[in-house]
């Protein structure tokens, strides 16, 4: 008996679907079916459905359409049914049924629930196109028609690889824009003198522009590495079916389906030469995760540098100023923290941890299949999306608004004992070390010791040696 204030569900609100395990009630307006419902009921793990990654949904649309067209051309799937499936896939690709992809990212079964989610949505959409009711699987069946000549074990990884290729495009764009922002700052700060540091100690002078240019270069290297690993994702096992033997697939299907997928997406997919190996191999995911980890490590280093250079303002390095984004303390009035570099660091730590997840999952496969691919999917999509958000925030909310305290950076250089290194070719290491030690113990400036007291250089020669141009691009002299 329904409680007061609750509406009793009407029979018309549901339809009954059956599989060999029994019956399930499915919402009447749902395009998914009984196997999707079982997956939805069984896997409450992340609470995040695959629909949050639209490229993953779109990729299943492309793969299922390529399969339908190949099977139609090979004469093993009725043309009317195949064409209806293809039209339904077009609607999936366009994002029309995105909310119907409800399975959790992490699931048992190597992605079977997700594959069946796609099969059922496409089947019911095809039925609608043919003027039939949802669930009338005698006309268009999720397993017998939409999944004809396929297995989760070739469809899921193919869709995953396609989705990754699509997803990485926007991530690479974000990295390229961050690279451009660092480069723009390198030009803006090209004539700003500052002290370089090693071991957190004074080293030799450089320009602030050179520091930002280095960050631009290192981000550009990451874009190149991602472009390289993307190529590996274009090798697929479509048509391998269960374990790579192409069981249930028509002769010529793997090659034709792969060709159709290339034509539909505009990407040059390659059918793996060894389908048995390709069906269980997850090496490309490990490599991609490693590249994401590498970028995270580099960004963490850059953000640590930015935080150090902006430290203070009165009691730190105070070489640069970051955009002030929010009050930094609930107790210390006026305090502003470097919150954007901090959140980028935390994102990097997450990605580094997820890389371990990918490594463990990739190594946990047994025999002809790696059943841990769903957690790899979750880890990689999470890494890419969070990294892209972090990269965009770093550029927009931090790097683009950085200013420099040029007078302070110049004074720090000229008051440093580290610049004695410039004199080493002329005076020798031993004498330069003595001068530096004297300056350290007495607090005297290098200028006073070298020019005024020891008269090792004239003022004119000092000005020449310690000019901005010579400090930034030192001329070798003996």
């Amino acid at each position: 008996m329904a409680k007061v204030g609750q509406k009793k569900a009407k029979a018309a609100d549901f339809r009954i679907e059956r599989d060999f395990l029994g019956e399930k009630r499915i919402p009447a307006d749902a395009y998914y079916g009984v196997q999707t419902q079982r997956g939805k009921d069984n896997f409450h793990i992340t609470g995040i459905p695959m629909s949050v990654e639209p490229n993953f949904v779109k990729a299943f649309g492309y793969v299922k359409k390529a399969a339908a067209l190949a099977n139609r051309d090979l004469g093993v799937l009725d043309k009317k049914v195949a064409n209806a499936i293809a039209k339904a896939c077009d609607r999936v690709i366009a994002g029309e049924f995105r909310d119907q992809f409800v399975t959790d990212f992490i699931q048992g079964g190597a992605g079977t629930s997700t594959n069946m989610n796609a099969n059922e949505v496409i089947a019911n959409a095809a039925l609608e196109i043919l003027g039939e009711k949802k669930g009338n699987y005698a006309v268009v069946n999720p397993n017998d028609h939409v999944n004809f000549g396929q297995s989760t074990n070739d469809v899921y990884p193919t869709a995953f690889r396609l989705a990754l290729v699509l997803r990485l495009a926007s991530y690479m764009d974000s990295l390229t824009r961050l690279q451009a922002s660092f480069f723009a700052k390198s030009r803006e700060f090209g004539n700003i003198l500052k002290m370089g540091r090693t071991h957190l100690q004074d080293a030799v002078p450089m320009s602030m522009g050179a520091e930002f240019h280095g960050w631009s270069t290192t981000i550009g290297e990451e874009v190149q590495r991602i472009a390289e690993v993307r190529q590996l994702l274009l090798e697929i096992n479509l048509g391998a079916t269960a374990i790579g033997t192409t069981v249930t697939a028509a002769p010529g299907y793997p090659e034709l389906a792969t060709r159709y997928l290339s034509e539909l997406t505009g990407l040059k997919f390659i059918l793996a030469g060894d389908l048995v190996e390709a069906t269980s191999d997850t090496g490309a995911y490990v490599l991609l995760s490693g590249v994401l980890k590498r970028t995270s490590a580099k960004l963490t280093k850059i953000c640590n540098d930015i935080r150090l250079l902006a430290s203070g303002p009165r009691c730190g390095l105070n070489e640069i100023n970051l955009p002030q984004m929010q009050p930094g303390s609930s107790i210390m009035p006026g305090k502003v923290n470097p919150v954007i570099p901090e959140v980028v660091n935390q994102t990097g730590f997450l990605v580094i941890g997820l890389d371990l997840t990918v490594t463990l999952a990739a190594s946990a496969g047994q025999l002809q299949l790696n059943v841990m691919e769903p957690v790899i999917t979750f880890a990689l999509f999470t890494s890419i999306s969070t990294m892209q958000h972090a990269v965009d925030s770093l550029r927009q909310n931090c790097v683009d608004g950085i200013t420099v305290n040029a007078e302070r950076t110049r004074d720090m250089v000229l008051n440093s004992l580290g610049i004695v290194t410039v004199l080493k070719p002329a005076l020798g290491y031993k004498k330069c070390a003595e001068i530096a030690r004297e300056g350290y113990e007495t607090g005297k400036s290098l200028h006073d010791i070298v020019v005024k007291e020891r008269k090792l250089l004239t003022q004119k020669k000092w000005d020449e040696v310690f000019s901005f141009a010579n400090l930034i691009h030192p001329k070798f002299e003996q």
Side-chain angles (χ1 to χ4, degrees):
M1 188 173 180
K3 294 180 181 179
V4 176
Q6 282 187 335
K7 289 184 178 179
K8 189 173 182 180
K10 298 177 184 177
D13 293 337
F14 298 91
R15 68 178 187 268
I16 302 297
E17 289 198 13
R18 299 169 182 81
D19 59 17
F20 68 87
L21 293 178
E23 296 183 346
K24 277 282 184 181
R25 290 204 310 174
I26 312 297
D29 60 350
Y31 283 85
Y32 58 81
V34 59
Q35 293 198 49
T36 302
Q37 187 64 52
R38 290 193 189 281
K40 185 180 178 185
D41 293 343
N42 289 339
F43 307 121
H44 299 283
I45 308 301
T46 66
I48 303 173
M50 65 174 290
S51 58
V52 302
E53 183 47 68
N55 287 304
F56 199 27
V57 175
K58 182 186 294 186
F60 270 94
Y62 277 123
V63 173
K64 294 295 179 179
K65 182 176 182 179
L69 296 178
N71 284 319
R72 179 199 64 187
D73 291 358
L74 292 170
V76 293
L77 188 61
D78 178 80
K79 287 185 179 180
K80 182 179 178 182
V81 172
N83 290 336
I85 290 172
K87 289 178 181 178
C89 289
D90 287 337
R91 295 171 68 182
V92 170
I93 293 166
E96 186 174 342
F97 302 110
R98 183 175 159 191
D99 64 339
Q100 298 296 300
F101 287 80
V102 296
T103 53
D104 197 293
F105 263 111
I106 299 181
Q107 56 189 257
T112 297
S113 294
T114 295
N115 183 38
M116 285 308 303
N117 195 163
N119 289 333
E120 290 174 342
V121 169
I122 292 167
N124 281 308
L127 286 168
E128 189 173 71
I129 289 168
L130 294 172
E132 301 286 347
K133 291 182 179 180
K134 295 185 185 73
N136 188 9
Y137 297 143
V139 178
V140 181
N141 186 278
N143 291 88
D144 295 336
H145 298 134
V146 182
N147 200 61
F148 188 93
Q150 302 157 59
S151 165
T152 297
N153 304 346
D154 65 327
V155 167
Y156 187 100
T158 298
F160 180 28
R161 286 170 180 248
L162 170 55
L164 285 173
V165 171
L166 296 175
R167 187 65 186 80
L168 286 170
S170 61
Y171 174 55
M172 291 169 69
D173 288 343
S174 290
L175 283 174
T176 300
R177 287 191 290 268
L178 177 61
Q179 177 191 5
S181 288
F182 278 131
F183 182 71
K185 287 295 173 181
S186 76
R187 298 183 66 179
E188 181 182 343
F189 302 150
N191 293 321
I192 305 298
L193 182 66
K194 65 157 288 176
M195 178 57 72
R197 298 175 181 86
T198 60
H199 303 272
L200 294 179
Q201 307 297 304
D202 298 351
V204 294
M206 63 187 299
S207 75
M208 184 70 75
E211 191 155 28
F212 277 79
H213 193 279
W215 296 337
S216 175
T217 298
T218 202
I219 296 301
E221 290 176 351
E222 297 312 288
V223 177
Q224 294 173 12
R225 299 293 84 76
I226 294 169
E228 290 166 1
V229 77
R230 275 182 82 203
Q231 292 301 116
L232 296 179
L233 297 170
L234 295 175
E235 182 180 288
I236 58 175
N237 71 329
L238 188 56
T241 66
I243 64 169
T245 62
T246 73
V247 61
T248 76
Y253 167 80
E255 295 79 10
L256 184 55
T258 300
R259 187 165 78 241
Y260 262 123
L261 188 61
S262 297
E263 292 175 2
L264 293 171
T265 61
L267 299 167
K268 294 182 179 179
F269 284 102
I270 301 168
L271 183 65
D274 186 332
L275 292 177
V276 171
E277 184 275 339
T279 301
S280 62
D281 178 54
T282 54
Y285 307 141
V286 175
L287 192 57
L288 172 58
S289 184
V291 171
L292 295 171
K293 179 178 72 171
R294 171 182 146 138
T295 307
S296 298
K298 285 190 174 188
L299 279 173
T300 297
K301 191 271 182 188
I302 290 170
C303 286
N304 285 340
D305 287 351
I306 289 173
R307 291 165 62 201
L308 280 171
L309 295 179
S311 61
R314 297 289 177 87
C315 301
L317 294 183
N318 192 30
E319 291 193 359
I320 60 175
N321 309 299
L322 308 186
Q324 297 190 336
M325 302 305 296
Q326 63 187 62
S329 174
S330 61
I331 188 174
M332 293 173 277
K335 190 171 189 290
V336 179
N337 296 329
V339 293
I340 303 304
E342 288 174 353
V343 79
V344 174
N345 279 0
Q346 293 174 70
T347 305
F349 305 154
L350 173 64
V351 172
I352 291 168
L354 289 171
D355 175 67
L356 178 58
T357 298
V358 173
T359 301
L360 292 172
S363 66
Q366 302 92 25
L367 305 177
Q368 278 65 62
L369 182 66
N370 189 319
V371 302
M372 308 298 173
E373 198 155 322
V375 76
I376 296 176
T377 304
F378 177 74
L380 287 180
F381 281 136
T382 300
S383 293
I384 295 167
S385 63
T386 52
M387 278 290 286
Q388 183 169 347
H389 293 318
V391 166
D392 288 340
S393 181
L394 181 62
R395 174 178 57 84
Q396 297 167 354
N397 299 318
C398 184
V399 176
D400 286 347
I402 289 176
T403 58
V404 64
N405 300 318
E407 187 174 340
R408 175 171 173 77
T409 61
R410 180 180 179 279
D411 289 345
M412 290 174 78
V413 170
L414 297 181
N415 288 327
S416 170
L417 297 173
I419 56 176
V420 74
T421 303
V422 180
L423 299 175
K424 188 171 77 73
L427 302 181
Y429 180 90
K430 183 178 180 181
K431 184 170 289 186
C432 287
E434 291 173 357
I435 293 168
R437 187 66 182 174
E438 181 181 346
Y440 176 77
E441 291 177 345
T442 64
K444 295 176 183 178
S445 71
L446 188 65
H447 176 270
D448 286 349
I449 297 171
V450 172
V451 177
K452 292 183 178 180
E453 295 182 3
R454 298 196 181 193
K455 301 187 184 304
L456 298 171
L457 292 181
T458 64
Q459 183 63 47
K460 181 180 179 182
K461 186 63 174 178
W462 172 275
D463 292 340
E464 179 186 328
V465 171
F466 291 97
S467 67
F468 175 81
N470 195 56
L471 287 173
I472 300 305
H473 303 290
K475 188 166 48 176
F476 178 78
E477 289 186 5
Q478 279 186 302

